[in-house]
Amino acid sequence: MRYLSFAICMLLLVGCGSSKQNTSTDGSSANASAPTKGSGRFPLEAGKYTVLGILTDNQDNSKAKENAETTLLTNPDVACLVGLWNINTPMILAALRSSDAVGKVKVVAFDEHQETLAGIREGTVVGTIVQQPYDFGYRSVQWLTMLAKDKPVEVPESGLIYIPHDTITPENVQTFSDRIDAIKAGNGPELSPESDLDGKGVHVAFISNSIDPFWTLAEFGCNKAAEQFGCKVDVQMPSTGSIEEQKRYLETNAANKLDGVAISPIDPANQVGMINEACESMTVICQDSDAPTSKRKFYLGTSNYMAGRAAGKLIKNALPDGGKVMMFVGKMEVLNAQERSQGIIDELSDKPVPEVFLQ
């Protein structure tokens, strides 16, 4: 409950800071590029740092690049650009190249896009906070299969199963890249090699929030687990990145009497109803992004708030004397974006880590 209260508080904090903009009935922003900058919340002072705002692009690559270019033009003294989602950093790098600003502005990233890793090797990216999408896929299939077979899954009282994040810098980027290459070659590890789980007859689904290389790694994990345990998994990636498409997947999976589904909610606050409806006919877990007020069985993924704190540490190491920071993300409706950005702000402000994350 304490985590739930904290998550709701952060939702309200970010929501109160968002700019006035038209919102469609599904909760998505009608203005894809509308930033939280310029509202009552931003710009804000965070210790020695000024957080200019958070620009959204609705997962439109050209808009993501334009957002970064506009920032460089309107804030020539910006010191650090932060990409909160996988594609944001490559678009930031493209904007730096087109603005002849490569090397003049620090870049901090999330996820393991190849251009991000190349930027770390070249020195144009300070570092990236990576999740474990392969593990998301593998564990989702394993644990949904266990539940379908009436085998217990150890879930903390909080309902949150955290898979550790990692910080990738020039010192460990090659080792990390080798691991990713092995996964893409089909040589990802069996994370539970000793398991005797027999998933024959079990059919589950894994729903992403979009089509992205990040989710391709998760698909490898899904397939590895399905192969090991003898179950069937459908990996479903919404081509439009919309909650309507996720809703259709949930309804189809329920109609086909699947045993369970793992979903990364795009707009959790506006998807509680559809998730609860799916829970009536099959086991539903959230992965990558949580919907904590829904009836989902549990959440599996990164502690996004703590991942944000790790990104904040990268910014502080790169800019020990402070400076102006702008953040970029696809959608602010997604809880992981809200938690990451809040973690960054709290770290830059030197606020203590909430007790719930120290358990």
Side-chain angles (χ1 to χ4, degrees):
M1 280 298 294
R2 286 188 302 169
Y3 173 82
L4 181 55
S5 298
F6 180 79
I8 291 173
C9 285
M10 287 206 300
L11 264 167
L12 292 173
L13 180 59
V14 174
C16 289
S18 61
S19 61
K20 294 180 180 180
Q21 55 185 296
N22 295 327
T23 304
S24 64
T25 55
D26 68 4
S28 61
S29 169
N31 182 352
S33 65
T36 52
K37 177 189 175 187
S39 68
R41 188 183 185 203
F42 292 106
L44 63 79
E45 299 304 314
K48 294 183 289 186
Y49 304 85
T50 300
V51 181
L52 297 172
I54 309 170
L55 290 168
T56 60
D57 53 64
N58 204 28
Q59 297 176 284
D60 180 331
N61 289 358
S62 62
K63 192 67 201 177
K65 181 185 176 190
E66 179 186 325
N67 283 345
E69 290 173 333
T70 300
T71 297
L72 294 167
L73 181 64
T74 58
N75 297 276
D77 58 344
V78 66
C80 184
L81 305 180
V82 184
L84 295 178
W85 280 7
N86 193 33
I87 196 60
N88 289 114
T89 300
M91 295 301 101
I92 288 171
L93 292 173
L96 289 171
R97 289 191 293 268
S98 66
S99 303
D100 193 26
V102 175
K104 300 175 184 177
V105 180
K106 303 295 185 184
V107 178
V108 169
F110 275 83
D111 299 328
E112 61 290 305
H113 196 287
Q114 287 300 308
E115 291 186 36
T116 297
L117 299 180
I120 294 174
R121 294 190 193 93
E122 297 164 358
T124 55
V125 177
V126 172
T128 186
I129 308 304
V130 296
Q131 305 177 83
Q132 307 293 342
Y134 177 89
D135 295 32
F136 293 2
Y138 183 102
R139 295 302 188 190
S140 291
V141 172
Q142 178 188 10
W143 290 334
L144 284 172
T145 301
M146 290 175 65
L147 292 170
K149 290 292 185 176
D150 295 321
K151 294 183 177 293
V153 176
E154 293 186 14
V155 180
E157 184 179 349
S158 65
L160 307 168
I161 301 178
Y162 286 139
I163 293 178
H165 59 269
D166 200 0
T167 300
I168 306 303
T169 61
E171 289 71 30
N172 61 355
V173 66
Q174 192 55 53
T175 299
F176 176 75
S177 296
D178 291 344
R179 189 166 80 219
I180 295 299
D181 289 343
I183 290 173
K184 291 179 177 180
N187 298 320
E190 290 185 352
L191 301 181
S192 295
E194 75 290 344
S195 176
D196 60 356
L197 177 63
D198 181 3
K200 184 178 181 180
V202 174
H203 189 181
V204 300
F206 183 93
I207 304 176
S208 73
N209 60 22
S210 63
I211 296 174
D212 189 273
F214 177 89
W215 293 114
T216 300
L217 294 175
E219 184 173 16
F220 277 109
C222 288
N223 292 337
K224 176 64 74 171
E227 177 185 350
Q228 180 182 351
F229 304 125
C231 59
K232 182 178 180 181
V233 59
D234 296 335
V235 177
Q236 300 164 335
M237 300 187 189
S239 59
T240 61
S242 68
I243 63 175
E244 291 84 3
E245 197 167 0
Q246 285 192 326
K247 185 174 189 291
R248 288 196 294 272
Y249 281 135
L250 284 173
E251 291 173 342
T252 299
N253 294 334
N256 290 337
K257 302 186 184 304
L258 266 63
D259 296 287
V261 61
I263 184 171
S264 175
I266 293 169
D267 184 359
N270 287 296
Q271 289 181 273
V272 171
M274 69 175 73
I275 290 173
N276 288 349
E277 185 176 346
C279 289
E280 295 177 4
S281 57
M282 58 187 172
T283 300
V284 178
I285 65 175
C286 286
Q287 46 80 17
D288 176 60
S289 180
D290 198 10
T293 61
S294 73
K295 296 178 181 178
R296 55 87 169 125
K297 192 79 172 176
F298 55 82
Y299 165 76
L300 142 70
T302 303
S303 172
N304 283 291
Y305 175 79
M306 292 305 294
R309 299 287 303 223
K313 287 181 171 65
L314 285 177
I315 297 169
K316 289 163 78 173
N317 289 338
L319 298 170
D321 296 325
K324 293 183 178 180
V325 178
M326 180 71 87
M327 291 185 274
F328 304 85
V329 74
K331 298 172 182 285
M332 277 304 293
E333 297 92 339
V334 182
L335 192 57
N336 62 21
Q338 297 164 12
E339 292 177 332
R340 291 174 193 179
S341 58
Q342 192 62 51
I344 289 172
I345 291 168
D346 287 356
E347 181 63 34
L348 296 181
S349 303
D350 293 320
K351 291 185 178 180
V353 176
E355 183 181 351
V356 67
F357 294 107
L358 299 176
Q359 305 302 314

